[in-house]
Amino acid sequence: MAAAAGGGAVRALSQKEQDIQMMLAADVHLGTKNCDFQMERYVFKRRTDGIYIINLGKTWEKLQLAARVIVAIENPQDIIVQSARPYGQRAVLKFAQYTGAHAIAGRHTPGTFTNQLQTSFSEPRLLILTDPRTDHQPIKESALGNIPTIAFCDTDSPMRYVDIGIPANNKGRNSIGCLFWLLARMVLQMRGTILPGHKWEVMVDLFFYRDPEEAKEQEEEAAVAPEFAAITDYQGADQWGGDQWTSDVAVPPVAPTGADWGAAPAPVPTGDGWDQAGAPVPVDGTVPPVIAPTGWDQAPQPTAQGWE
Amino acid sequence: MADRGGQRGGDRGGFGRGFGRGGRGDRGGRRGGRRGGRQQEEEKWVPVTKLGRLVKEGRINKIEEIYLHSLPVKEHQIVEQLVPGLKDEVMKITPVQKQTRAGQRTRFKAFVVVGDCDGHVGLGVKCAKEVATAIRGAIILAKLSVVPVRRGYWGNKIGQPHTVPCKVTGKCGSVTVRMVPAPRGSGIVAARVPKKVLQFAGIDDVFTSSRGSTKTLGNFVKATFDCLMKTYGFLTPEFWTETKYVKTPFQEFTDLLAKPTKGLLIDAPTETVEA
């Protein structure tokens, strides 16, 4: 992550600049109308409508610091990531999945860190929270148990007992997802699991909170695709040429990765093809040359092998 | 405060009865008894906390390692194992009463002081419906609250430290207890109650001065305990050097702690959390 040296739009952006661009897109820099005195050092300016703007350069530095602390814990299972708020729950679960930590999504039962007689008693070495205000109970308990705490703090968040506060917007769903994604990527880069400079194949969208209705819609669309795959199965490999067979293979794996629906334009031709109910024959005749290359990029190789 | 339950609506019979029954053989001088037929229970200590596991395995040998990192002690067996030679003494058992529709509800409050007469003291207060339960609970709480006591010299630094390092004072409620270093041979110059506590702490000579309502034994004893806690809180020139940080036992023995304990193999490793 080389530091940027002036310049701008013409040459390629450094890792840090790319990250900051992403954070800007996710509205990480927007604070609230109030500012806690301990957060003043991270604030860039106050907008005319009263919202404080957070200095994203400092956010990035704090993220790096937090990542270093996370990497310093030998056993990742001793880290607990927590979010009581719904916007952070998915991000927290994904973060835990990719870094090996433990996630608590939803209500924090008081006494989890202090009451040794509880079944859910645990003594973590590090605690990561999305919001010091809503997650105030774990903060109080970690103070009693000598547990260092990292938290994403908004401009008006209380900083009591928070050891590393990462200045950021913890109100927006995109913002929280983006921050956890960045933190996870930094941790994995520091551990050496991902090489720096390479894009992480996991998408940010995976960390974003999905409304239950939205999730249902996507699942329905994904459910439609596999149905067609099943039908072609019965109609037999004999009739279909090898070309068409591989194209059928390529498309189904693409559809279910729900994240891709966000980037709608590319799969549209296929989408239309599926909607025209019935045999995919006419569509496939034209589509294979277009779809196959992208399909191979996105679909993981093992699935294809399975089919063949 | 003073629990003169007799003033409440009479019923001196109940007061006297409750007091007499429990107080007969249990007051003062119970030196770690009650261990009679309970050997088996004690040996089967299954640690619940990480610290407990480390102590049981023998990775932590001195209680000072726990004090260094300010780790909370939740299991009394930890202290029992690390500080052998702990003696306990019941300071007082007072009946306390609560008024209910159907008369008074009497409970017994036990004050227990625990110590090894060599720099470690603990104070436990427990209220329970039966005297024996209260005493047992108080002993456990006392062990959990064991703190180190700093001793120093009055004058020449010959021999072992024998008195408080400096003038310290502790307060609880209205009672303040002040301890002043004394020359060797002075003995503990204090009232009966704090004298007991100081003996358990391992302080040989000290001058004391107290103020406030020392009649309230609870506050008096807590004030001396608070005073003793402060002996290590006082910054003297010996502590001016920079601290050399040591890894916490949780970090040092992280591999050992990562292993799941036997009993939990059925469910999940200790660190799993079910919200």
Side-chain angles (χ1 to χ4, degrees):
Chain A
M1 277 152 254
V10 184
R11 58 162 178 76
L13 294 173
S14 75
Q15 180 73 285
K16 179 176 180 180
E17 287 176 340
Q18 281 177 1
D19 292 346
I20 294 185
Q21 244 191 357
M22 186 189 291
M23 286 201 271
L24 281 168
D27 289 339
V28 170
H29 61 296
L30 296 175
T32 52
K33 292 208 175 159
N34 303 315
C35 185
D36 195 64
F37 77 104
Q38 286 180 314
M39 292 296 288
E40 272 172 17
R41 57 216 298 238
Y42 301 119
V43 156
F44 169 64
K45 201 178 181 185
R46 192 177 198 192
R47 245 182 8 196
T48 40
D49 60 351
I51 305 246
Y52 284 92
I53 308 284
I54 297 172
N55 187 337
L56 284 181
K58 301 197 176 153
T59 305
W60 197 86
E61 301 287 324
K62 272 329 237 331
L63 276 171
Q64 285 282 82
L65 179 65
R68 290 176 71 168
V69 170
I70 295 172
V71 168
I73 308 274
E74 294 89 348
N75 183 7
Q77 294 215 317
D78 283 334
I79 302 173
I80 289 196
V81 213
Q82 205 160 357
S83 172
R85 285 203 305 177
Y87 279 8
Q89 284 174 13
R90 189 172 184 219
V92 144
L93 286 164
K94 292 295 171 194
F95 180 87
Q97 181 189 340
Y98 288 109
T99 54
H102 263 110
I104 303 184
R107 184 168 183 266
H108 168 94
T109 317
T112 324
F113 302 146
T114 49
N115 188 355
Q116 71 272 22
L117 302 172
Q118 265 188 8
T119 44
S120 57
F121 178 63
S122 77
E123 289 169 286
R125 297 238 358 250
L126 182 64
L127 189 60
I128 306 177
L129 304 170
T130 44
D131 185 359
R133 189 157 268 146
T134 41
D135 299 319
H136 62 284
Q137 183 60 33
I139 288 186
K140 224 188 321 179
E141 293 189 12
S142 64
L144 289 167
N146 299 16
I147 304 168
T149 308
I150 300 177
F152 291 112
C153 300
D154 213 330
T155 46
D156 63 351
S157 297
M159 302 279 279
R160 178 171 290 142
Y161 291 131
V162 174
D163 299 301
I164 298 182
I166 303 172
N169 174 17
N170 57 15
K171 308 283 191 292
R173 66 169 84 179
N174 297 345
S175 167
I176 298 178
C178 173
L179 287 161
F180 271 110
W181 184 83
L182 280 171
L183 192 57
R185 200 195 61 188
M186 284 184 191
V187 169
L188 291 174
Q189 272 172 345
M190 286 186 191
R191 282 194 195 149
T193 321
I194 309 178
L195 296 168
H198 278 61
K199 267 185 89 159
W200 193 21
E201 72 266 2
V202 172
M203 293 180 60
V204 200
D205 308 61
L206 195 62
F207 284 66
F208 291 165
Y209 169 73
R210 293 195 307 180
D211 281 326
E213 304 94 52
E214 205 189 296
K216 245 202 251 172
E217 278 171 32
Q218 289 178 15
E219 275 172 33
E220 281 165 15
E221 288 169 25
V224 172
E227 274 175 34
F228 283 105
I231 294 170
T232 52
D233 206 32
Y234 294 132
Q235 277 160 15
D238 317 328
Q239 295 178 13
W240 303 96
D243 263 348
Q244 288 155 330
W245 191 234
T246 51
S247 66
D248 286 345
V249 169
V251 178
V254 170
T257 43
D260 293 0
W261 290 112
V268 162
T270 5
D272 291 348
W274 292 125
D275 286 346
Q276 292 165 21
V281 182
V283 188
D284 285 341
T286 49
V287 167
V290 178
I291 294 304
T294 49
W296 288 125
D297 279 355
Q298 287 165 337
Q301 295 289 335
T303 350
Q305 284 164 14
W307 278 104
E308 286 162 353
Chain B
M1 253 295 283
D3 319 295
R4 301 249 116 239
Q7 284 169 10
R8 287 256 200 115
D11 199 19
R12 298 227 76 214
F15 177 81
R17 233 188 298 129
F19 189 65
R21 178 177 25 152
R24 214 170 287 131
D26 292 347
R27 271 240 271 180
R30 297 193 83 258
R31 304 245 155 197
R34 301 228 127 257
R35 297 280 152 93
R38 303 270 188 88
Q39 299 267 309
Q40 290 203 319
E41 265 183 45
E42 283 174 47
E43 281 162 25
K44 279 192 290 172
W45 167 39
V46 179
V48 180
T49 55
K50 280 204 246 183
L51 190 59
R53 282 164 72 184
L54 289 177
V55 167
K56 181 141 193 230
E57 307 267 328
R59 300 307 173 120
I60 297 181
N61 301 315
K62 289 197 299 177
I63 203 170
E64 271 67 34
E65 294 174 39
I66 297 180
Y67 294 146
L68 181 63
H69 300 285
S70 307
L71 302 171
V73 174
K74 303 226 183 226
E75 296 178 284
H76 68 99
Q77 295 95 336
I78 293 174
V79 177
E80 277 170 24
Q81 189 166 331
L82 291 176
V83 188
L86 266 183
K87 291 201 289 284
D88 55 73
E89 169 126 0
V90 179
M91 303 291 291
K92 186 159 193 178
I93 300 185
T94 30
V96 288
Q97 292 182 337
K98 164 186 155 158
Q99 191 78 334
T100 60
R101 252 196 304 208
Q104 280 106 332
R105 205 258 336 251
T106 315
R107 297 202 306 175
F108 296 97
K109 191 165 175 176
F111 295 90
V112 170
V113 173
V114 122
D116 67 345
C117 300
D118 196 26
H120 300 100
V121 247
L123 173 68
V125 182
K126 182 89 178 128
C127 192
K129 283 192 271 200
E130 290 168 23
V131 178
T133 324
I135 292 175
R136 213 177 311 134
I139 292 178
I140 290 178
L141 284 175
K143 288 188 180 152
L144 288 178
S145 77
V146 166
V147 287
V149 172
R150 187 169 184 212
R151 289 159 295 167
Y153 298 95
W154 172 81
N156 290 328
K157 298 216 173 95
I158 314 172
Q160 290 300 311
H162 58 104
T163 184
V164 205
C166 53
K167 294 185 195 170
V168 278
T169 168
K171 185 170 161 71
C172 180
S174 76
V175 182
T176 65
V177 169
R178 185 188 199 213
M179 302 203 307
V180 171
R184 239 180 253 279
S186 323
I188 301 175
V189 181
R192 238 175 309 139
V193 169
K195 187 170 185 150
K196 243 302 101 78
V197 181
L198 291 166
Q199 277 171 345
F200 273 105
I203 292 181
D204 303 318
D205 314 284
V206 69
F207 295 142
T208 57
S209 156
S210 57
R211 189 173 195 266
S213 176
T214 56
K215 227 166 51 158
T216 43
L217 189 128
N219 283 347
F220 202 7
V221 98
K222 280 199 209 165
T224 49
F225 188 65
D226 181 49
C227 195
L228 290 170
M229 276 208 284
K230 285 190 177 171
T231 54
Y232 261 118
F234 203 100
L235 220 205
T236 56
E238 290 90 50
F239 297 134
W240 284 357
T241 53
E242 260 200 59
T243 20
K244 284 204 178 66
Y245 292 107
V246 182
K247 277 194 190 182
T248 69
F250 296 155
Q251 191 181 358
E252 231 182 289
F253 302 110
T254 187
D255 311 311
L256 173 68
L257 288 169
K259 290 191 222 153
T261 50
K262 272 191 288 185
L264 297 172
L265 272 175
I266 311 163
D267 317 295
T270 346
E271 277 80 21
T272 317
V273 175
E274 260 85 39

